[in-house]
Amino acid sequence: MGSKTFLDWPVIRQLRGADPTGRGTSVTSQRTRDLEPRTADADGVAQSICPYCAVGCGQRIFHKDGKVIQIEGDPDSPVSRGRLCPKGAASEQLANSKHRQTTVRYRRPYGTDWEDLDLDTAMDMIADRFIEARRRHWEAEDSQGRPLRRTMGIASLGGATIDNEENYLIKKFFTAAGAIQIENQARI
């Protein structure tokens, strides 16, 4: 790095350059001119939807070497037009947090410790319990013989982090299974 001269002073650069108001290149340091966007060396970009609420803001996920390096609003999204709320803008931390659970954790009834399960085992356990609760609590008809075809042993409580399409599928699935206790925070 060479020594600075009188002509390198920002005010002198401003007055002798094409930027007399001092709002352009004359006030930009060499360090600032050397900066590059953190997404410049990304391997690729994927379009996604923010996971936090039911609005469905579009996101652009920049990745490098199999890791998320930046998340920005998607300007092509008709929902958010490139904007994200603070939670959506910080969702890169959700993907890269050292505290993120990446395995299925299970604590047996009356147990005091958590154990890791593989995904297939956990899904089988959930399916078995779902089917058993439906079978055990099935109500084919009421006391006067009127058809009910329902179960009170299954309920669904969704949250606002589920988008409309997922809510639609969950409602259809639980209704087909005979559940009548289906609620969602996003509906309110």
Side-chain angles (χ1 to χ4, degrees), residues 72-142:
E72 298 176 354
D74 186 355
D76 296 330
S77 169
V79 174
S80 56
R81 299 182 311 230
R83 296 167 184 85
L84 291 175
C85 72
K87 281 177 81 173
S91 57
E92 175 270 334
Q93 297 169 13
L94 177 69
N96 293 327
S97 173
K98 64 180 180 180
H99 302 294
R100 180 180 179 192
Q101 290 292 326
T102 57
T103 59
V104 177
R105 304 288 286 162
Y106 177 68
R107 190 175 72 185
R108 297 190 182 280
Y110 307 106
T112 58
D113 296 322
W114 291 91
E115 59 185 273
D116 289 338
L117 292 180
D118 65 279
L119 184 59
D120 290 336
T121 301
M123 294 298 283
D124 288 344
M125 288 171 68
I126 293 168
D128 292 344
R129 291 174 183 183
F130 186 93
I131 292 167
E132 179 60 23
R134 183 179 184 272
R135 186 196 58 75
R136 194 171 349 124
H137 299 284
W138 185 255
E139 298 175 4
E141 55 188 36
D142 66 8

Side-chain angles (χ1 to χ4, degrees), residues 33 39 48 59 74 94 100 104 106 144-145 149 173 185:
R33 285 192 290 272
T39 58
S48 186
Q59 291 182 324
D74 186 355
L94 177 69
R100 180 180 179 192
V104 177
Y106 177 68
Q144 296 158 348
R149 294 189 289 273
F173 172 76
Q185 173 189 354

Side-chain angles (χ1 to χ4, degrees), residues 24 40 43 59 68 108 112 121 124 132 153 155 165 168 175 180-181:
D43 292 338
Q59 291 182 324
V68 174
R108 297 190 182 280
T112 58
T121 301
D124 288 344
E132 179 60 23
E165 291 78 12
Y168 175 80
T175 301
I180 59 171
Q181 301 163 333

Side-chain angles (χ1 to χ4, degrees), residues 4-19:
K4 292 200 176 228
T5 66
F6 176 73
L7 297 176
D8 292 324
W9 288 4
V11 173
I12 303 300
R13 282 197 321 254
Q14 173 183 337
L15 294 175
R16 63 185 185 112
D19 184 25

